Amino acid sequence: MAWGQFSVTFAFEPHPAPVTASEREARLVDPAFGRVFTDHMAILHYSEDKGWHDGAITQRVSLTMDPASSVFHYAQEIFEGLKAYRLDDGGLALFRPDANARRFNASARRMAMPDLPEELFLESCERLVLTERDWFPAIEGGSLYLRPFMIASEAFLGVKPSAEFLYMVLASSVGAYWKGGARAVSLWVSHDYTRAAPGGTGEAKCGGNYATSLVAQQEAIRRGFDQVVFLDAAERRWIEELGGMNIFFVFDDGSIQTPPLTGTILPGITRDSILTIARDEGLVAREEPYAIDQWRADAQSGRLVESFACGTAAVVTPIGRVAGPDYDFAIGSGATGQLTARFLDRLTAIQRGRAPDPHGWLRRIG
Ligand SMILES: *Cc1c(COP(=O)(O)O)cnc(C)c1O
């Protein structure tokens, strides 16, 4: 049987006792981020002999896994994050899911995991969203956040790539990441911890990168900052990115800059979208290294007027203050800058189907 453009790989096994409509409404009033999950999930199995098989959209249940499963010991795990939106005309759409599918496979290759055909990635996301179409919060900034991920499930303590994997997609109803609009965040620059080294896994979206970033994030919070920003591992000088967001700099001549993708930075789809929007508007958008000393000097001289972080979850987050062991400086007025607000606006308008979409980023699914 065909489903849209796909043959049906994911059988539909409806939840026997889904959350009632009134309970669901109650959960969707103020869902925050990543705590409200929908009734179903997508699941697909892989083994070396059978390839990908036994796909289903099924009730979201706890997993039963052998405690020797290699993901628990050697962290062979990758994930993605993308959002589905309800458009003003009532339709549903994913934002650039093909880019997530490609990046998922790039991460898989780096982690010695099997490729997942892009159609399966797209089909799993689309079918899950269509199944959970009642789980979109009807609040400003609300969306359905999708979390596709793959884990090594072979029960074997020897060190080698697993011969079995599970691919799953969870859906979580989310509100605007920053309640009451984007608030400028403060950053602690980590001079002790690094996130990724040349030849390492910095450009793969793997849980391991997050595990090692948490202690640095914890330090930032303990010192009274919102987020940590990492420097390069070799020289401890070049700004790379936050724990889970890329970074942009805005200059007084109207140009913008972001660190280049040299292997240690996660190639964000939001980052790429902002570069594209900027260039479409005729702005100069550089992908060049930027040093922490330069950031400080430029912020103080007024050459640098804004900075912001970006990623799927929070979209665009203004940066108001930056500090390290012996410095502390404000960015612009410390509040949301003009260009920062404009990028947030432009991107949100495309994602909601309110603006022209010249690059075909919205994938309508119903
Ligand atoms: C996911 C992620 C980003 C942002 O990527 P988007 O595709 O824009 O969501 C940035 N940095 C890291 C480390 C990430 O894991």
Side-chain angles (χ1 to χ4, degrees):
M1 190 178 83
W3 177 85
Q5 66 194 99
F6 304 115
S7 59
V8 175
T9 312
F10 293 86
F12 183 49
E13 301 165 359
H15 197 302
V19 169
T20 62
S22 60
E23 171 61 24
R24 186 177 61 235
E25 293 314 317
R27 292 187 198 173
L28 293 183
V29 171
D30 184 16
F33 185 84
R35 294 195 184 276
V36 174
F37 293 100
T38 65
D39 290 315
H40 297 85
M41 65 181 186
I43 186 162
L44 185 61
H45 299 257
Y46 178 91
S47 61
E48 271 174 6
D49 50 330
K50 287 200 216 164
W52 290 108
H53 63 279
D54 284 350
I57 304 291
T58 188
Q59 61 178 306
R60 203 181 84 86
V61 286
S62 300
L63 298 176
T64 304
M65 289 186 69
D66 193 296
S69 298
S70 46
V71 64
F72 298 135
H73 304 273
Y74 308 125
Q76 211 184 359
E77 188 268 357
I78 58 169
F79 68 95
E80 270 302 326
L82 68 162
K83 279 179 176 170
Y85 298 93
R86 185 176 286 291
L87 309 180
D88 289 350
D89 64 11
L92 303 177
L94 291 165
F95 184 71
R96 305 189 69 180
D98 50 317
N100 294 93
R102 283 193 298 275
R103 188 170 67 187
F104 195 63
N105 280 333
S107 300
R109 284 190 287 276
R110 178 61 182 85
M111 303 298 283
M113 299 167 88
D115 259 39
L116 176 71
E118 284 177 30
E119 316 83 75
L120 293 185
F121 182 97
L122 296 173
E123 183 185 348
S124 62
C125 292
E126 295 184 9
R127 294 207 71 195
L128 184 61
V129 171
L130 289 173
T131 304
E132 307 295 41
R133 57 188 317 141
D134 293 335
W135 283 89
F136 284 79
I139 51 178
E140 183 59 31
S143 61
L144 202 60
Y145 179 84
L146 301 181
R147 170 51 60 85
F149 65 109
M150 195 202 308
I151 55 176
S153 52
E154 186 184 3
F156 176 59
L157 292 182
V159 178
K160 66 156 188 85
S162 177
E164 292 167 21
F165 293 89
L166 283 177
Y167 165 75
M168 280 172 279
V169 187
L170 306 179
S172 175
S173 309
V174 300
Y177 200 84
W178 309 108
K179 260 174 132 179
R183 178 182 66 85
V185 296
S186 57
L187 300 185
W188 172 256
V189 184
S190 187
H191 288 256
D192 298 326
Y193 300 109
T194 58
R195 177 186 168 274
T201 58
E203 66 183 348
K205 210 165 173 72
C206 63
N209 289 342
Y210 279 75
T212 59
S213 75
L214 295 177
V215 68
Q217 173 65 21
Q218 208 173 32
E219 182 189 9
I221 300 282
R222 185 161 43 74
R223 292 180 181 271
F225 295 83
D226 296 307
Q227 296 269 328
V228 64
V229 59
F230 291 101
L231 302 176
D232 77 291
E235 295 182 59
R236 307 280 176 112
R237 181 171 169 224
W238 306 102
I239 300 152
E240 296 221 307
E241 62 171 316
L242 281 58
M245 283 188 274
N246 295 115
I247 191 164
F248 274 88
F249 310 98
V250 180
F251 297 91
D252 60 354
D253 62 358
S255 66
I256 67 170
Q257 184 165 334
T258 191
L261 302 177
T262 52
T264 54
I265 291 173
L266 200 289
I269 294 161
T270 318
R271 173 189 179 280
D272 182 75
S273 305
I274 287 169
L275 284 172
T276 305
I277 291 172
R279 288 168 184 159
D280 284 353
E281 294 191 2
L283 298 180
V284 173
R286 290 180 299 273
E287 295 174 75
E288 283 169 23
Y290 195 50
I292 179 64
D293 302 349
Q294 196 65 44
W295 195 10
R296 181 180 170 190
D298 289 346
Q300 280 161 356
S301 76
R303 189 171 100 84
L304 176 121
V305 290
E306 303 175 30
S307 302
F308 61 89
C310 66
T312 294
V315 191
V316 168
T317 301
I319 297 165
R321 178 185 163 207
V322 180
D326 57 359
Y327 56 91
D328 193 333
F329 57 93
I331 307 286
S333 66
T336 305
Q338 261 178 29
L339 217 52
T340 302
R342 197 161 103 204
F343 284 124
L344 177 58
D345 251 34
R346 293 281 147 95
L347 204 48
T348 315
I350 297 174
Q351 290 169 338
R352 299 279 162 180
R354 290 172 191 156
D357 178 21
H359 302 282
W361 286 340
L362 268 195
R363 185 177 168 106
R364 283 186 172 262
I365 57 173

